[in-house]
Every structure is written in C-alpha cells, then in structure tokens.
Amino acid sequence: LIRRSNADVGSISVTTTATAYNTSSDYRLKENVTAVTDGIVRLQQLKPSRFNFKVEPGKTVDGFIAHEVQSVVPEAITGEKDAEDADGNPIYQGIDQSKLVPLLTAALQEAIAKIETLETRLTALEGGAAQ
C-alpha cells in the first residue's frame, strides 16, 4: 500500500505476468459524484501531437504537451509550466496519461449515443420511404 497523511492512496500489485499501479477509487472515499456530461467538448480541446524527445531525435512518438492538457484535465499533470528551481534549472512537468481515460470514455459514450440516435432516425426515415 502507498499511504499519505495516514490514508491509503494507492498500491502496486504484482502477479506472475503483470504489474498494476492502482489509485484509490473506492466509492466510500468519494462524494458529490456526477456524470461527465461534456466529454466530447473537453476531448476536442486536447491536442494530441507527434514529436521526438531531444535526447532521441530519431524516435517519433505520439503524446501530449503537459501544459496544454493541464487546462482540460488538470489532475493528469504534475508540476507547473516553465517552473525552475532556485538555480534557474528547469523543473519539468509530467503527465499521467491514465487520467485521460475517464474523459475518453465519457466522450466515446456521448458519441455512441449520438450515432445510435442518428441510426434510429435513419431507420425511421427509410421505413417511411418504403411505404
């Protein structure tokens, strides 16, 4: 278990084939739970990018720029944009991309609902046209 301020906040579980990094998620730890209703709108604010890290110029990857995600899903980002230590050295931001999964799920659910509505309307129109 991983503890902070005398509370369990996560764990690392290991089996013979996998390692899981678990964040606390039990309903008994939460309150004011509401559905994400603006998933598509928020998802469209994210800017997935292709880039390379300066230390690996020949390797292009997909990802995000931390400060661009921070305004949409702040819990996914650690650190502050352009932060420096007392000597002026950069303190780099980090991203936990797993924190994007709830938003992605909500946006996909919203998109599926829209598709299903359109399919129903199309079927109704096709049925009416056949008569």
Side-chain angles (χ1 to χ4, degrees):
L1 287 178
I2 300 170
R3 296 179 63 81
R4 180 165 179 130
S5 301
N6 295 321
D8 295 340
V9 295
S11 65
I12 301 172
S13 304
V14 180
T15 69
T16 56
T17 58
T19 302
Y21 299 91
N22 307 301
T23 299
S24 298
S25 188
D26 193 289
Y27 74 97
R28 295 169 293 180
L29 298 169
K30 301 173 183 183
E31 61 185 9
N32 305 317
V33 176
T34 60
V36 175
T37 58
D38 58 351
I40 291 174
V41 171
R42 290 177 54 213
L43 185 70
Q44 288 175 320
Q45 294 174 38
L46 294 176
K47 301 175 191 172
S49 303
R50 292 186 55 71
F51 53 85
N52 65 275
F53 286 93
K54 292 177 181 179
V55 296
E56 288 190 277
K59 182 179 180 184
T60 301
V61 298
D62 297 333
F64 295 95
I65 308 299
H67 74 271
E68 294 177 350
V69 173
Q70 195 163 25
S71 63
V72 182
V73 187
E75 63 271 22
I77 305 303
T78 55
E80 295 300 323
K81 183 179 185 281
D82 300 323
E84 296 180 341
D85 66 16
D87 296 324
N89 298 309
I91 301 173
Y92 298 113
Q93 287 185 290
I95 185 169
D96 179 353
Q97 295 187 49
S98 69
K99 301 290 190 203
L100 303 178
V101 172
L103 179 60
L104 293 169
T105 302
L108 181 57
Q109 289 172 335
E110 290 172 21
I112 289 169
K114 288 182 179 208
I115 291 167
E116 289 173 342
T117 298
L118 292 171
E119 287 175 337
T120 300
R121 291 166 85 189
L122 183 58
T123 300
L125 286 173
E126 289 172 346
Q131 294 177 355

